Amino acid sequence: MSETRADARTPLDRTPQWAALAKHRSELGETHLRELFAADPERGRTHTLQVGDLHVDYAKHLVTDETLELLRDLAAATGVAELRDAMFRGEKINITEGRAVLHTALRAPRDAVIEVDGVNVVPEVHAVLDKMAAFADRVRSGEWKGHTGKPIRTVVNIGIGGSDLGPAMAYEVLRPYTKRDLDVRFVSNVDGADLHEAVRDLDPAETLFIVASKTFTTIETITNAVSARSWLLDGLGAGTEAVAKHFVALSTNAQGVQDFGIDTANMFEFWDWVGGRYSYDSAIGLSLMIAIGPDAFREMLDGFHLVDEHFRTAPPEQNVPLLLGLLGVWYGAFFDAQAHAVLPYSHYLSKFTAYLQQLDMESNGKSVTRDGTPVGWQTGPVVWGTPGTNGQHAYYQLLHQGTKVIPADFIGFAKPVADLLPGLVAQHDLLLANFFAQTQALAFGKTPEEVAAEGVPAELVPHKTFKGNHPTTTILAAELTPSVLGQLVALYEHKVFVQGAVWNIDSFDQWGVELGKVLAKRIEPVLLTGEGGEQLDSSTAELVARYRSLRGR
Ligand code: F6P
């Protein structure tokens, strides 16, 4: 394991910077956002930052200038900048897997130089992007033909986790930029219903499967890919020679791809220094590139790169990922916030929060530090949320009047998408009125006096009072373009990085997913044969027995 400064440091909660923050927190007490705004009429103007096209308003946070200074001190003391620089340099900061963490190289310009083990990886990155672009163009133009000579009308991406959520999310976000007569579908669940619903109305002769798996060993993906191959060959009445025209693979594992029966000429490669949840701007984005075209894909990568450069070079006071990361640390440590809501006011971002769940929770859902010592502080929050207006009529009640502290990000866009039906454009003001109203209500609430002044009977006043003081960040951009999507994702990637660095955890491994996989492998034969059930705990054994009986076994 490579040594980094973080391995040897004082436990976070015993640093003087932590103690200073704890003291400051108790001095802040119940200070209300109403007071902070009253004390500084300029707060709404001064507490904003800009990165690329993203205007970030953090005025409605429970922080003073002193809070922010103390948080930046904490970042300095915990070596956030040093770890960031080590990441950008290609050092093996994923210490438990001995790997570099270089998703930033995936969006570097062609002439950049980024070395891993002394080799510049940028030419390889661009060689794969070029190969993807050539292939995407052939599929989009109809030049790529299926086994029977028909062009492709539907692309089905088979993958799970990072090999699904990124392209599936981005395809939704960028729908207005897609070639509308080419359908892209995503299959991830090992529940056969997922593949069934994806292919039931398709003509195999016009279908292209993309098997996306970094390891090419993931049981869900390989199982679905085998089933898809049978569906294709049965449907075409063809032999395995048809596979070459209907299957391509995205992987780091050439041998696994070959063993599956996909020609490695039809494989798009990436590298072990790309984490699954950081991979949709690698070959894993092929389905997206086919949908939106190589130029829009490049625009998206440039958006990522812009925020990478901002994170790498902006001073701490102006560094947006640093700020957002530190705010999360503040609420987790000193307000006992367990959750973080991401609430987009754009229908196209409907899968954005689900994508962020893997990015954030698989990265920072850890409870030991980089040297294996149990942490004595909160790490990653529960990340959740759906498009805002729908949430308003479902769970916002809890945000407004519940007992929990749930910081929230509100994301909105000034312009509706370009190809919206003209009759629908007027709805955009109503959408954005809700967007602005909610953060206002969450921050300032409604006092009992204000409620009573409306003539509300005394017994109802407590029910109609809004305490307010709920912290939110507002991210506003002019419109949701490929570049803006890249900027948003990179912003969250680096926010997660900052938090992992402060908490001194390895944000780049995911050992917590292993145990369930191992146990499932052990249980599957018991479901089939009934043998070995006695080795299970009594609850699981009973459930398995009931399952077998319900299945008539
Ligand atoms: O099980 C978790 C995980 O390893 C994720 O980190 C990853 O994105 C996903 O599985 C899929 O892995 P692969 O791309 O290797 O199929």
Side-chain angles (χ1 to χ4, degrees):
M1 285 187 192
S2 69
E3 274 297 307
T4 71
R5 178 185 157 166
D7 294 333
R9 71 189 191 200
T10 313
L12 182 61
D13 55 354
R14 277 187 247 145
T15 60
Q17 293 76 14
W18 188 271
L21 276 161
K23 180 166 171 282
H24 171 69
R25 168 68 185 100
S26 70
E27 284 160 7
L28 206 60
E30 295 302 304
T31 304
H32 201 284
L33 280 167
R34 281 193 290 263
E35 296 166 62
L36 296 178
F37 273 77
D40 175 9
E42 294 292 296
R43 188 176 172 94
R45 195 179 54 77
T46 54
H47 286 56
T48 64
L49 286 173
Q50 186 81 24
V51 49
D53 297 304
L54 309 176
H55 173 84
V56 178
D57 177 309
Y58 61 97
K60 297 188 186 88
H61 275 286
L62 293 162
V63 293
T64 62
D65 289 348
E66 189 187 351
T67 323
L68 296 172
E69 226 174 282
L70 292 173
L71 285 167
R72 286 192 293 265
D73 289 349
L74 185 72
T78 51
V80 174
E82 286 85 345
L83 194 68
R84 173 199 65 194
D85 294 345
M87 172 176 77
F88 277 94
R89 275 197 304 271
E91 286 179 27
K92 296 187 174 164
I93 64 163
N94 175 356
I95 52 172
T96 70
E97 296 179 313
R99 289 179 181 165
V101 175
L102 260 188
H103 41 279
T104 51
L106 299 169
R107 49 264 193 159
R110 214 173 268 277
D111 57 359
V113 177
I114 301 169
E115 294 187 347
V116 178
D117 294 331
V119 177
N120 179 15
V121 298
V122 179
E124 298 174 62
V125 166
H126 279 269
V128 173
L129 285 170
D130 291 344
K131 183 176 168 183
M132 289 165 66
F135 180 74
D137 281 339
R138 290 182 72 193
V139 174
R140 286 165 65 83
S141 68
E143 187 195 326
W144 180 276
K145 302 274 193 296
H147 180 65
T148 66
K150 287 185 172 180
I152 300 302
R153 296 177 66 89
T154 307
V155 174
V156 181
N157 185 85
I158 299 178
I160 197 163
S163 298
D164 165 71
L165 289 164
M169 173 277 290
Y171 177 67
E172 270 322 300
V173 175
L174 299 177
R175 255 182 202 275
Y177 295 83
T178 59
K179 189 170 156 45
R180 295 280 196 177
D181 58 354
L182 185 65
D183 196 12
V184 181
R185 300 179 182 188
F186 295 87
V187 172
S188 55
N189 200 325
V190 76
D191 183 341
D194 199 2
L195 182 61
H196 170 77
E197 290 299 330
V199 299
R200 54 184 291 281
D201 58 344
L202 297 184
D203 176 357
E206 299 174 329
T207 303
L208 175 74
F209 288 99
I210 297 180
V211 185
S213 176
K214 178 176 170 181
T215 55
F216 230 78
T217 56
T218 304
I219 190 89
E220 292 88 341
T221 299
I222 302 305
T223 305
N224 275 325
V226 168
S227 300
R229 186 174 55 191
S230 303
W231 172 85
L232 179 98
L233 299 182
D234 290 351
L236 291 177
T240 50
E241 72 284 357
V243 168
K245 293 289 175 197
H246 294 272
F247 274 82
V248 299
L250 320 174
S251 190
T252 60
N253 176 1
Q255 189 59 52
V257 169
Q258 209 169 5
D259 294 347
F260 179 84
I262 297 178
D263 187 342
T264 43
N266 290 341
M267 166 176 158
F268 298 82
E269 185 196 6
F270 61 113
W271 308 273
D272 76 353
W273 41 263
V274 182
R277 52 194 175 272
Y278 299 88
S279 68
Y280 99 78
D281 43 358
S282 71
I284 290 294
L286 182 64
S287 54
L288 176 68
M289 189 192 271
I290 292 171
I292 63 173
D295 291 345
F297 196 85
R298 184 69 241 172
E299 278 174 40
M300 182 186 77
L301 295 184
D302 291 344
F304 274 97
H305 182 64
L306 184 154
V307 174
D308 293 343
E309 285 303 284
H310 165 88
F311 179 48
R312 195 172 67 78
T313 61
E317 298 75 23
Q318 284 155 33
N319 200 305
V320 182
L322 179 70
L323 170 75
L324 298 186
L326 291 174
L327 287 170
V329 170
W330 170 236
Y331 293 118
F334 302 107
F335 290 77
D336 198 28
Q338 309 280 330
H340 183 91
V342 180
L343 307 166
Y345 279 66
S346 164
H347 186 69
Y348 290 108
L349 283 170
S350 58
K351 292 189 176 168
F352 189 64
T353 311
Y355 169 76
L356 291 184
Q357 284 181 323
Q358 186 197 15
L359 174 65
D360 199 323
M361 294 164 81
E362 205 173 65
S363 296
N364 285 344
K366 311 285 164 64
S367 52
V368 295
T369 64
R370 290 159 67 82
D371 66 5
T373 315
V375 295
W377 47 89
Q378 287 230 24
T379 59
V382 178
V383 176
W384 62 283
T386 53
T389 42
N390 299 358
Q392 284 174 212
H393 295 273
Y395 50 78
Y396 273 38
Q397 166 66 37
L398 183 146
L399 295 181
H400 285 291
Q401 289 188 315
T403 53
K404 296 175 174 44
V405 178
I406 304 179
D409 297 346
F410 281 68
I411 305 171
F413 304 92
K415 297 183 198 162
V417 298
D419 70 347
L420 202 63
L421 292 173
L424 298 175
V425 171
Q427 293 185 203
H428 199 69
D429 288 327
L430 181 56
L431 173 69
L432 270 282
N434 277 280
F435 174 67
F436 296 122
Q438 287 297 328
T439 61
Q440 199 185 14
L442 285 165
F444 305 112
K446 197 170 180 184
T447 63
E449 295 73 29
E450 286 166 343
V451 177
E454 288 173 354
V456 171
E459 69 275 16
L460 284 184
V461 168
H463 299 279
K464 296 197 167 195
T465 296
F466 288 69
K467 176 174 75 57
N469 228 18
H470 299 292
T472 58
T473 302
T474 297
I475 301 175
L476 181 65
E479 63 187 307
L480 184 46
T481 62
S483 169
V484 165
L485 173 62
Q487 293 174 39
L488 270 174
V489 174
L491 179 62
Y492 279 96
E493 286 177 349
H494 298 318
K495 171 200 157 171
V496 167
F497 176 92
V498 167
Q499 297 186 332
V502 172
W503 290 326
N504 193 18
I505 55 180
D506 187 336
S507 299
F508 302 101
D509 60 16
Q510 56 284 318
W511 300 108
V513 301
E514 294 305 321
L515 179 60
K517 290 184 192 174
V518 172
L519 295 182
K521 266 198 193 143
R522 273 191 222 153
I523 290 175
E524 194 192 0
V526 185
L527 300 185
L528 293 167
T529 64
E531 281 163 33
E534 65 287 350
Q535 286 163 22
L536 300 171
D537 66 87
S538 64
S539 162
T540 312
E542 277 300 316
L543 290 165
V544 164
R546 182 167 291 265
Y547 170 82
R548 282 181 48 77
S549 128
L550 290 168
R551 292 294 306 269
R553 289 182 187 151

